[in-house]
């Protein structure tokens, strides 16, 4: 952005800027800065105490400075006097090595040095629920197969349309919105782009959806499985790799229209899928989605094995058309930057080592998965996923300092969960 942000603010009527970075747990941290002070923040950054957020630091560490990226500027459509800026955490004069956006930027640069540019789109699923979080906000949304329910969609028209109008105003090119497979669940789609821009937009989308829902007296949640009998919220990623205007995954002669390089990238994701789960399924609750029993709609729509197929949604990866594939592992809790970084890291490893994904499976994995042997299963819980991440030489090398810091904090989270005594344990064990 050639002009100073202060000049941009004057031109657009922006009074304040949110300088925002995302920590390892996907929490967005921000400071609200008056427009008159923003150019100084671009030069020096906004100061934070790193230990006060999930960045694996101590109170003895010096300040973290969030360096705003002027090119990421998004003017809040519902509060246009505020501009949002994605920021990169720095400390001691250099980028924090394990901060999620920094990790993604480093991998994007690594891919660029090899002549590759990953482009992706995400399918954000979320629930609209009551403010106390206990139930779906629409009491009339009761169908056993509620997906694409026109009546339920239009009862929430005001919320969904306001979010979509905002994306249209921002130039994201949204193209469809629907009621998803669970009661009270929705999905909104916008055009794919380069990985960093998709991650920034994904981060902002979650903030925007929550904010607009609050305006309407509702609550938007991206929790993977807020209701045990309903389909969980995924965050499917559609992936391709480009060189300039050339889609390197597109090959008319390739199987299902995908090039050899595309299959190597896919093979890399399959090779590291169990370790990727720690990043793409980052909460205790995540494993109630990918290891779920059948839901009231008849299917979980989530993978449980490391397999791929054509246009078949019962697998970890599907190839819906030539030139791209869809990774169905991630859920709504995934950190937008670690989602992109994890896929890019695993995919680059697949290209570097020419990883073979093996033959595709065209069976229904939900009904016939037990009839075939698969090389790898997905973790059963967060602890297993963390251990797979720690054991992954691929992700340890590609993600660097992120892995030990992330694994440490997530292990603490697992231990906090393990110390929690549930009512189920008391009901089933008191008389053991």
């Amino acid at each position: 952005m050639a002009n100073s942000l202060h000049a941009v603010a004057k031109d657009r009527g922006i009074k304040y800027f949110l300088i925002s970075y995302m920590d390892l747990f996907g929490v967005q941290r921000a400071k609200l800065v008056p427009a008159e002070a923003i150019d100084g923040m671009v030069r020096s950054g906004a100061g934070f105490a790193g230990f006060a957020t999930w960045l694996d630091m101590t109170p003895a560490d010096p300040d973290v400075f969030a360096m705003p990226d002027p090119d990421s500027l998004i003017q809040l459509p519902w509060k246009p006097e505020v501009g949002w800026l994605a920021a990169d955490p720095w400390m001691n004069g250099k980028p924090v090595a394990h901060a999620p956006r920094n990790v993604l930027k480093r991998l994007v640069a690594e891919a660029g040095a090899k002549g590759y540019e990953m482009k992706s789109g995400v399918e954000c699923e979320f629930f609209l629920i009551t403010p106390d979080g206990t139930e779906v906000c629409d009491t009339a949304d009761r169908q056993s197969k509620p997906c694409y329910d026109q009546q339920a969609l239009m009862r929430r028209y005001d919320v969904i349309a306001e979010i979509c109008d905002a994306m249209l105003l921002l130039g994201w090119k949204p193209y469809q919105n629907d009621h998803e497979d669970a009661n009270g669940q929705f999905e909104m789609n916008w055009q794919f782009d380069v990985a960093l821009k998709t991650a920034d937009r994904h981060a902002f989308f979650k903030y925007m959806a929550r904010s607009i829902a609050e305006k309407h007296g509702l609550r938007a949640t991206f929790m993977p499985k807020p209701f045990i009998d309903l389909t969980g919220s995924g965050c499917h990623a559609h992936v391709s790799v480009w060189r300039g205007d050339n889609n390197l995954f597109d090959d008319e002669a390739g199987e299902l229209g995908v090039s050899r390089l595309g299959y190597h990238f896919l093979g890399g994701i399959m090779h590291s899928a169990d370790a990727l789960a720690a990043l793409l399924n980052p909460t205790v609750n995540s494993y109630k989605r990918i290891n779920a029993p059948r839901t009231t709609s008849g299917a979980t729509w989530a993978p449980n094995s490391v397999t791929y197929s054509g246009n078949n949604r019962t697998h970890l990866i599907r190839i819906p058309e030539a030139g791209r594939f869809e990774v169905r592992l991630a859920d709504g809790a995934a950190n937008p930057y670690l989602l992109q970084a994890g896929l890019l890291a695993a995919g680059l490893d697949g290209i570097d080592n020419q990883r073979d994904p093996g033959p595709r499976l065209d069976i229904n994995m939900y009904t016939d998965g037990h009839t075939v042997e698969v090389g790898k299963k997905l973790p059963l819980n967060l602890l297993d996923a963390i251990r797979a991440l720690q054991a992954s030489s691929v992700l340890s090398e590609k993600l660097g300092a992120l892995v030990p810091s992330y694994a440490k904090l997530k292990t603490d989270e697992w231990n906090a969960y393990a110390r929690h005594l549930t009512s189920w344990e008391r009901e089933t064990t008191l008389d053991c």
Side-chain angles (χ1 to χ4, degrees):
M1 184 172 288
N3 294 335
S4 76
L5 281 178
H6 185 214
V8 171
K10 277 185 161 183
D11 184 55
R12 298 192 190 180
I14 296 173
K15 297 179 180 178
Y16 289 91
F17 289 90
L18 277 170
I19 297 179
S20 174
Y21 74 87
M22 186 168 280
D23 67 21
L24 290 171
F25 281 15
V27 181
Q28 295 187 61
R29 312 290 183 167
K31 285 197 171 179
L32 189 64
V33 174
E36 287 75 8
I38 191 61
D39 286 345
M41 293 292 176
V42 172
R43 290 191 297 271
S44 303
F48 292 79
F51 176 71
T53 74
W54 297 113
L55 277 181
D56 188 28
M57 294 179 179
T58 77
D61 284 313
D63 283 349
V64 169
F65 288 93
M67 305 295 292
D69 179 352
D71 290 332
S72 71
L73 174 62
I74 297 174
Q75 193 168 358
L76 273 57
W78 68 96
K79 198 180 287 291
E81 68 269 26
V82 178
W84 179 89
L85 291 162
D88 301 322
W90 283 56
M91 188 169 70
N92 289 330
K94 59 185 179 180
V96 175
H98 58 278
R101 196 171 189 267
N102 293 341
V103 172
L104 176 56
K105 288 175 70 175
R106 180 174 55 76
L107 283 163
V108 166
E110 179 184 331
K114 298 176 179 180
Y116 304 134
E117 183 175 55
M118 188 176 87
K119 296 185 178 182
S120 61
V122 289
E123 299 179 4
C124 287
E125 296 176 352
F126 61 96
F127 283 82
L128 289 175
I129 57 176
T130 55
D132 65 3
T134 58
E135 57 187 337
V136 170
C137 65
D138 182 358
T139 57
D141 191 348
R142 296 176 181 272
Q143 285 202 47
S144 59
K145 278 191 176 291
C147 204
Y148 314 123
D149 181 355
Q150 180 173 275
Q151 291 294 130
L153 174 63
M154 291 307 290
R155 281 195 296 273
R156 288 293 166 253
Y157 172 84
D158 289 348
V159 181
I160 300 301
E162 185 172 347
I163 298 171
C164 190
D165 285 346
M167 290 193 284
L168 287 164
L169 182 67
L170 294 170
W172 292 12
K173 299 182 181 177
Y175 55 89
Q176 65 182 11
N177 313 291
D178 66 65
H179 189 293
E180 267 299 316
D181 195 60
N183 307 110
Q185 187 185 47
F186 299 86
E187 177 181 303
M188 307 185 74
N189 305 121
W190 65 91
Q191 191 176 56
F192 73 97
D193 213 310
V194 296
L196 182 62
K197 184 172 285 188
T198 291
D200 282 341
R201 289 177 173 178
H202 184 186
F204 185 80
F205 177 83
K206 295 179 78 170
Y207 167 60
M208 177 166 64
R210 292 185 184 115
S211 298
I212 291 175
E214 286 177 4
K215 275 184 61 181
H216 292 266
L218 306 177
R219 184 173 183 177
T221 178
F222 295 85
M223 182 179 180
K225 192 78 168 176
F227 304 103
I228 201 65
D229 58 335
L230 300 181
T231 305
S233 288
C235 188
H236 306 148
H238 292 258
V239 180
S240 54
V241 168
W242 297 64
R243 180 173 291 140
D245 294 329
N246 182 26
N247 181 355
L248 300 181
F249 283 7
D250 198 3
D251 183 355
E252 289 183 6
E255 187 175 327
L256 299 180
V258 174
S259 68
R260 186 178 177 191
L261 182 138
Y263 278 107
H264 289 327
F265 195 100
L266 188 158
I269 291 173
M270 292 181 64
H271 177 78
S272 296
D274 55 342
L276 283 173
L279 305 176
L280 276 55
N281 309 108
T283 69
V284 169
N285 180 257
S286 294
Y287 298 85
K288 291 180 167 59
R289 169 184 168 265
I290 62 173
N291 291 300
R294 192 176 156 134
T295 62
T296 56
S297 72
T300 65
W301 301 101
N304 52 32
S305 299
V306 183
T307 56
Y308 80 100
S309 186
N311 200 352
N312 180 336
R313 288 178 170 86
T314 65
H315 293 259
L316 178 80
I317 299 174
R318 75 173 178 122
I319 303 174
E321 63 181 15
R324 67 181 170 97
F325 55 80
E326 176 191 50
V327 183
R328 299 177 59 82
L329 179 59
D331 62 45
N335 183 311
Y337 299 100
L338 298 187
L339 167 57
Q340 301 296 326
L343 295 179
L344 183 52
L348 287 175
D349 165 72
I351 293 173
D352 291 344
N353 293 287
Q354 298 188 355
R355 299 206 183 272
D356 182 1
R360 74 174 193 267
L361 287 174
D362 291 329
I363 64 172
N364 182 336
M365 285 300 293
Y366 296 159
T367 58
D368 301 323
H370 65 283
T371 67
V372 295
E373 284 192 26
V374 296
K376 191 176 289 188
K377 298 281 283 185
L378 292 174
L380 292 173
N381 55 56
L382 179 60
L383 182 60
D384 287 349
I386 295 166
R387 288 172 172 167
L389 177 63
Q390 291 173 306
S392 170
S393 58
V394 170
L395 295 188
S396 291
E397 177 187 344
K398 292 287 187 185
L399 301 177
L402 172 82
V403 170
S405 290
Y406 185 86
K408 171 188 168 184
L409 294 179
K410 280 294 173 180
T411 300
D412 289 344
E413 183 177 298
W414 172 265
N415 289 335
Y417 164 72
R419 287 192 293 270
H420 178 67
L421 185 65
T422 66
S423 57
W424 181 89
E425 291 172 273
R426 295 185 61 82
E427 290 168 5
T428 57
T429 316
L430 277 175
D431 293 322
C432 65

